[in-house]
Amino acid sequence: MTIGYEPPAGAVTNPQDQQDGGNTAGGEEGDVTDGGGRGAVTSPGEPGHKIRSRTRKRHSLANKPQDFQIRVRVIEGRQLPGNNIKPVVKVHVCGETHRTRIRKGNNPYFDEIFFFNVNMLPSELFDEVVSFRVYNSNSFRADCLMGEFKLDIGYIYHEPAHCIMKKWILLNDPDDSSSGAKGYLKVSMFVLGTGDEPPEQDNDKDDVESNLLLPAGVALRWVTLKLKVFRAEDVPQSITVIPYAYVFQSFLGYTGRDKTTVENHLKFVSIRHEWNAAVVFCRGFVVSCRAASSCWPPSWFLNFFAYLSHLKDSDHQTNNYYYLPWADTKPVIAITSFWEDISHRLDSLNTILYISNRLQTNLSALKSAVQSKATDARLVEIWLKLINQLMEDISRIPDMEGKPNLTALDIQQKMLRDRALENIMKGAKHLFEEATDVNKCLSIIEGWLDKLKQLAEEPQNSMPDVIIWMLRGEKRVAYTRIPAHQVLYSSYSEQACGQYCGKTKTIFMKYPMDNKKGLKIPVQLRVNMWLGLATEEKKFNHYAEGIFNVFAELYENQAQVLGKWGTTGLLSRSKFSDVTSKVKLKQEYFLPPVGWEWEGDWRVDPEKTLLTEADAGHTEFVDEVYENETRLPGGEWKLAAEPYTDVNGEKVQGPTEIECPPGWKWEDIWTFDDNRAVDEKGWEYGVTIPPDDKPKSWVAAEKMYHVHRRKRMIRPRKRIPGAKTAEDTGDAEGWEYSSLIGLKFHRKQRSSDTFRRRRWRRKMTPADRVGASAIFKLEGALGVDMESKGDEKGTKAETSVKQFGANTPTVSCTFDQSNTYHLRVYVYQARNLTALDKDSFSDPYVHVSFLHHSQTTETIRSTLNPTWDQTLIFKNVEICGDPQSLAQNPPIVVMEIFDSDQVGKDEMLGRSTCVPIVKLTSGMDASPKLLWEPVTHKNGPAGEILVAAELILKTRGNDTELPLIPPKRGEKLYMVPQGVRPVVQLTAIEVLAWGLRNVKTYQLAPVTSPSLVVECGGESVQTAVIKNMKKCPNFAGNVLLLKVLLPKEEMYTPPIVLKVIDHRPFGRKPVVGQCTINFLEEFRCDPYATVAEVLYHEDETIYFVTTLQEKETVDWWSKFYASVGESERCRPYLDKGYDTLEVYDHELESAKEFMGLTDFCSTFKLQRGKNESDDDDPAVVGEFKGSFKVYPLPDDPGVPPPPQQFRELPDSVSQECVVRIYVVQAIDLQPKDNNGKCDPYIKISLGKKSIDDRDNYVPYTLNPVFGRMFELTCFLPQDKDLKIAIYDFDLLSHDEKVGETVIDLENRLLSRFGSYCGLAQTYCISGPNHWRDQLNPSKILEQLARWKGLSPPRSEDNGNTLTFGGRLYCLSDLGNFQSFLFFCTSLWWLDKLYCGIYCKLGKDLQPVLIHESSYFICWFQGKVELTLEIVNEKEADEKPAGKGRDEPNMNPKLDPPKRPDTSFFWFTNPFKTCRFIVWRRFKWLFIGLVVLILVLLFIG
């Protein structure tokens, strides 16, 4: 099929499109005369769609996170399907969803605009999509989706003016793209960067067809489709061939004028099954038709070699999956097909995939070595291996020069790949020569890997996928599809071969139309596939293993009538037939295909492998029988009519009648199974509901109305090594039996059997002896004479050419011998599993399967991070094939993690796989290494599991070469042995449990008395109970110590689990929240280092300089504009050389130098509940404030432990604080009005207090300048979250929220960086640089000295010099003023107020009066009249103030205040007078009078 593109007449050429230079198919077949029909599409920039843009000139975007705004306008819809619908449109961009208002009708008008603000890398943004989904709000959720459309954001950005204006988009069904249009939406889309403005639109096209955006994958150009039809094969005679042109007539939509052309063409193509014709369609119309007899594609051979089928079963607890026991005989399928030879494209594709896979392997090994802190020598070794192999692999890219079927796209893609690979090669050489730090190169290598994965795409890959179906009867129950290039053979090089070409691969099949997204796997297959050209079929012999056998087969059928076997009771069945017993066959008329000949005669060859019993493949087995009893309601129990049955109620032998099969021995006597929901005697009870004669459900408790009960009797048996079992024996004549035709057959005859059959086979061998590749000549070649002897209507030669149909010769691969292996799976621990229980945890266990063997670990209760520390041993695993080939592609170990539930079926937590290391000789020293393998659930991540596995080849009769048995934990549990398990060290974990915040209610009751449990590595510690969460949500004992054995390697370190338990009445202690901290590296510390955080750099100087108190010509806004670089608005300020602010373009928590303001404690989100949704995490129900310090402890108990890390902690009591919020301005707000602007104002909330500044809104702007200051009081930590919101002022409608930010005040209060954030460079006492910090510089210096472990600052020479940190500072050099100055400062911190009066005369700055008050109440209302007296030091000594032994009103003496004799307060404020004077004095009198009056009224 060839598709050519021809631009429509008059279309504007896109300069970004590449010219291919080739002729289109339409040009070869004829000219297109209709240039303006349906389907013509215009894109932005074409005539009729002019856009005037006011944006800046385009420039390349820097590869760093930037601010973007995506605006989407949904205008209207048309032709939406359905009756009486109420459509609503949901727009999803970058994880955010907006929806329109609900409208009515099939042509709704919305006209709504949505804004999406993001900050991300341009490369990541352009890969995101804009998704439009139209829902019918009247419909049920299952079928409410009406249509969908998706478009890349990069497509919009690269359009002119970064927009798509008023385009119609076609909606389609996301699950069925061929279902046609589901309506149309008219939309506009913009992608605006910083400084861009939206374009203007001056034309509006209502023509849908000419202004249409099609779904992804449909090019906006004219299409010429050339279809080459050669022949049809394997079409049954009973089916009428539908000519292909009819299909395209309905698909491409022909009009009446094309009917004659189509019908004339059909007359030519429908008379035979071999057409050899080509049809060209241009825009859906037939243009011409011509013969194509010379266009035969090459033939391809596909060999499908199935080793083992592993059928999944829901009964995972029994460690018994269903499987097909093919043993040493594997079925083989060979398929011949004809396709275009595109090996030159697939060779390049496979080579790039080989390079990327090899780079991925080496990069994973390098990351693992870095994470495990390997030695430098080991890191260099892995690093050199990665670089050398990468440079070696890049030089092997195939060359396309001289290749057939080259297109312009092939050449362009080759050039693109060559440039990219050349850049990677240059980078690799540069790193090889100059790189010194391996860690810094990881991101560069990851970039190379991403680039290689992008190059590994082939848009012209016309080879279809290999699809494998599993059938049950005639129903398709499971499938898998494998890209053809993965199994393709290439003669160019080994790297150009497919990843799985000729290699045995384990694949998982899927259910068709699986709505559960792979929750269950129906089948696990282990297959070997090879795909190659017919000219290279002999290359398959190199990959073939075992002996290939080809047989013609048929079945002899007999039925039992009156106790005798014969053909009388077969009725419509024939004596000899195929495997289905439906097609009549005869031995004497089978004819071998050309090139093949018979080897030997027909012989009985019974099928042994597929007729196995339930104990096949097991060394231990448990027989079970159900004993049944019945009664009338309330009567006595008696044996039932069928006293012994199986689990399905079918009659079986009793326990005394069952004999031990040959090759087995009993391990115990018959006992009842009490490991189920049964009573103390093993009975379970049920009620029979007609028309059923047996109960459908069972319970353990007996009731009077129960009329049926049963008991499961079990008896274990064990296989005798070397003994011959029933699997090796069977009917002497080769018969297999069944009760009815079509049911399962078995070997031994039973009393209920009425039908039997046996298989006859005759072997064929190739005449020319070409090896295993001869099987490719078999497909459809075997003939058979379907006529009887007396039929004279044909000869053998005529009938032998008939296809053999379903009875194609069976091909199998037989292995002479199998090898026995010993498998050990080490399951150590898991982390971040999904919570499936309502207590926020799960009860996980692992079901491990390997081929058809499986085992289960123990169950760990109530955890998401279980540590099993268990070794599962598979003693005798038989695997066919060459051990060397097995070592290269070993079978994978499948681990399924389940949540154990006492009631109901166990739920799956996820699935993971592990590749075992293979040891073929006892001298191999390689030991398995525990690695974290990803756990997936419904195709999404669901945690990780730490496992390893080793597969050891056993020498027959020699078990001494196996590793030592691991130590046991309990009777049957083996631990992970030394050498595999991580090396541990005694480690201390100091826990700073500061408090809990914002804890939500649990079971409709508030959490009032919580405590915290900290778990890690099997150890736990618990805090004291918080007595009153409302009064103070902090813990009384803040510091806890946890001693635990932790692995030395960080990659093996278990997580820290936090559990919040609420202590409720009657002893209830539910878990109300939990948090898992996965990585402890950030909390590790050196316990002997100085516990200090460096707030200042060593080279920084703190200046103590005062400024003159004069009339300033500048203000704070001058300082602000000088700081943001707007010099034209602050020239006087800059001329004076004053200090500037440091303005951050992000919040302080994002500044690296401030450590997120979490240096004292971090905030951890608490989660709760079952994760029922696949997309959402468990609900966040609170926060934990705290931190951790992890450090090793000495192994010698005589060595004193390291000092405590958390010390000098502030008081954990509730504190009252004053909060001042300075709102300067807002930038790039989201528009809320139709004019693209908004009217913003500020709304602040802190605890239960809020401030609404609606009256001071700023009209018509997206960048308002507020310049507002707000002051609130609060109690920390209760009111720690300060919320600052911006609202849009609307006069009539409800005000809309523009945005909101939340500031954690507690972090800013407790952080040591609190004073460093914005600390003034100069200590000024007035003007715009007035000192605003709550601590003066001397206090800051004292704190700094204490935190750094230095001596406190020391002032000498009457305050002229200062010694700090070993350095001498001279204050005389910091300023020289000849004027006299005094000032008063007030700095408050928590509940203390410091007031001080300082005097400066000349160079001296000395405190004159210092006062500290713990209970100082300051009201900033009204006026205060005071007198200040300035005295020198001598006068201050002579007339001391505030000694307490003298008159308080002395030095200076103040006159009494002058107050008026009469107050008119009652007249000016009568309501306040009544409230504060009358009511407070006489309120009980008033209340008594009111009650008395009510009583009198009631009596009267």
Side-chain angles (χ1 to χ4, degrees), residues 376-395:
D376 293 342
R378 177 59 180 165
L379 288 177
V380 171
E381 179 184 353
I382 301 176
W383 161 257
L384 292 178
K385 177 183 177 182
L386 184 149
I387 295 297
N388 291 331
Q389 289 184 355
L390 178 61
M391 293 190 295
E392 178 185 355
D393 294 339
I394 290 178
S395 61

Side-chain angles (χ1 to χ4, degrees), residues 1008-1027:
T1008 57
S1009 303
S1011 65
L1012 179 71
V1013 177
V1014 183
E1015 298 179 352
C1016 183
E1019 303 292 337
S1020 64
V1021 64
Q1022 185 171 356
T1023 65
V1025 178
I1026 297 178
K1027 297 181 179 180

Side-chain angles (χ1 to χ4, degrees), residues 270-456:
S270 61
I271 58 176
R272 54 197 173 109
H273 293 264
E274 188 170 317
W275 296 285
N276 299 332
V279 181
V280 178
F281 300 91
C282 183
R283 293 173 51 253
F285 298 94
V286 177
V287 177
S288 63
C289 176
R290 64 173 184 175
S293 58
S294 60
C295 300
W296 288 99
S299 58
W300 294 82
F301 288 156
L302 170 66
N303 174 259
F304 177 86
F305 181 12
Y307 270 93
L308 182 70
S309 178
H310 187 172
L311 308 182
K312 295 292 182 181
D313 169 329
S314 61
D315 189 12
H316 49 266
Q317 284 277 31
T318 60
N319 291 339
N320 184 14
Y321 283 130
Y322 299 129
Y323 71 100
L324 296 178
W326 282 323
D328 57 353
T329 302
K330 315 295 181 183
V332 179
I333 299 173
I335 301 175
T336 305
S337 58
F338 298 89
W339 307 100
E340 179 188 5
D341 184 6
I342 58 170
S343 56
H344 57 282
R345 298 171 187 156
L346 300 185
D347 287 351
S348 300
L349 174 62
N350 284 334
T351 303
I352 295 176
L353 287 174
Y354 174 83
I355 297 174
S356 62
N357 292 337
R358 198 172 180 183
L359 180 60
Q360 177 73 67
T361 302
N362 291 333
L363 181 60
S364 299
L366 183 60
K367 287 183 177 180
S368 178
V370 171
Q371 189 176 8
S372 61
K373 297 182 179 180
T375 60
D376 293 342
R378 177 59 180 165
L379 288 177
V380 171
E381 179 184 353
I382 301 176
W383 161 257
L384 292 178
K385 177 183 177 182
L386 184 149
I387 295 297
N388 291 331
Q389 289 184 355
L390 178 61
M391 293 190 295
E392 178 185 355
D393 294 339
I394 290 178
S395 61
R396 297 176 177 174
I397 297 296
D399 191 3
M400 289 190 177
E401 185 176 356
K403 298 291 183 180
N405 304 330
L406 283 180
T407 64
L409 181 57
D410 287 328
I411 299 175
Q412 294 293 332
Q413 190 171 20
K414 173 64 175 174
M415 295 171 58
L416 174 66
R417 288 173 173 173
D418 287 345
R419 287 196 298 268
L421 294 175
E422 183 180 358
N423 292 334
I424 296 177
M425 176 69 82
K426 291 181 180 178
K429 291 181 179 178
H430 176 75
L431 290 184
F432 182 78
E433 295 173 355
E434 300 184 7
T436 57
D437 189 353
V438 175
N439 295 326
K440 295 181 180 179
C441 302
L442 291 177
S443 59
I444 300 177
I445 301 175
E446 290 175 348
W448 296 345
L449 184 60
D450 293 338
K451 188 62 178 179
L452 288 173
K453 291 180 179 179
Q454 295 175 6
L455 296 177

